[in-house]
């Protein structure tokens, strides 16, 4: 919120608004350079430069990960997708609440080059058309009944005998 408020009130020297400095340089949304580095790659680079710095805190879940821990999880998720046979460009569905696992899924998928499709509700999960879907274990049965060959990747529990791929096992692939 602080950054947003500062942008609203920022005035470039001789300008009259938050984007005046960019406009003065001829930068528009159409001409802005597209970065060649993904956020996942930046986090992994940060994990090498300062591995012990705190990167993610989720108080309700008891998560306190350093850049090294976050970078490791991102790389392990990407490697797990590779081991499961996911090729760059293949679609992976996601139905998770905001969580550390969601962040790892988003960044690990980006690192692997997977295309993501999200479902906001369990009811919308049936409309997701992709090879597999990362879901909370309570949605794993619904994900397993989706059309076609489908691999639910479940977060937060379930039994080893369930016909799902466990998120924690994927990270250990």
């Amino acid at each position: 919120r602080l950054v947003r408020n500062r942008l609203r009130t920022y005035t470039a020297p001789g300008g009259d608004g938050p984007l005046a400095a960019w406009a003065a340089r001829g930068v528009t949304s159409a001409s802005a350079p597209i970065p060649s580095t993904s956020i996942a790659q930046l986090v992994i680079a940060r994990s090498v430069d300062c591995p012990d710095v705190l990167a993610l805190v989720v108080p309700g879940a008891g998560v306190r990960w350093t850049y090294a821990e976050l970078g490791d999880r991102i790389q392990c998720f990407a490697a797990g997708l590779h081991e499961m046979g996911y090729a760059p460009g293949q679609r992976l569905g996601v139905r998770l609440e905001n969580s550390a696992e969601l962040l790892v899924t988003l960044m690990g998928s980006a690192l692997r080059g997977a295309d993501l499709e999200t479902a906001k509700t369990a009811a919308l999960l049936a409309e997701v058309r992709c090879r597999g879907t990362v879901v909370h274990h309570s949605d794993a049965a619904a994900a397993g009944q989706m059309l076609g060959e489908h691999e639910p990747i479940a977060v937060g529990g379930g039994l080893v005998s369930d016909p799902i791929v466990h998120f924690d096992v994927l990270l250990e692939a």
Side-chain angles (χ1 to χ4, degrees):
R1 188 183 320 148
L2 178 64
V3 171
R4 192 176 329 128
N5 289 338
R6 288 207 177 166
L7 280 175
R8 281 190 196 129
T9 59
Y10 173 74
T11 302
D16 61 349
L19 302 178
W22 285 358
R25 287 185 269 154
V27 176
T28 65
S29 60
S31 68
I34 298 173
S36 60
T37 305
S38 73
I39 292 173
Q41 291 168 323
L42 293 174
V43 169
I44 291 166
R46 182 88 171 164
S47 75
V48 171
D49 295 339
C50 40
D52 298 327
V53 173
L54 198 57
L56 179 66
V57 176
V58 184
V63 172
R64 294 181 62 82
W65 293 344
T66 63
Y67 276 100
E69 293 168 319
L70 179 58
D72 183 56
R73 283 175 172 86
I74 291 167
Q75 291 179 81
C76 286
F77 188 88
L81 289 178
H82 175 74
E83 289 293 318
M84 289 176 68
Y86 279 83
Q90 236 174 343
R91 296 176 88 175
L92 178 68
V94 180
R95 162 70 181 115
L96 291 174
E97 301 296 326
N98 290 341
S99 61
E101 292 84 6
L102 176 62
L103 182 65
V104 169
T105 299
L106 296 174
M107 290 194 180
S109 299
L111 191 62
R112 179 66 190 135
D115 291 339
L116 292 178
E117 186 173 335
T118 60
K120 296 278 186 193
T121 66
L124 293 174
L125 199 55
E127 297 176 19
V128 174
R129 301 281 183 247
C130 46
R131 176 172 164 192
T133 304
V134 181
V135 296
H136 187 268
H137 73 89
S138 61
D139 290 330
Q145 294 174 1
M146 293 169 62
L147 296 175
E149 305 240 351
H150 194 79
E151 300 166 322
I153 301 169
V155 172
L159 301 174
V160 174
S161 61
D162 290 341
I164 58 177
V165 176
H166 292 269
F167 186 84
D168 294 333
V169 173
L170 176 72
L171 291 180
E172 294 176 15

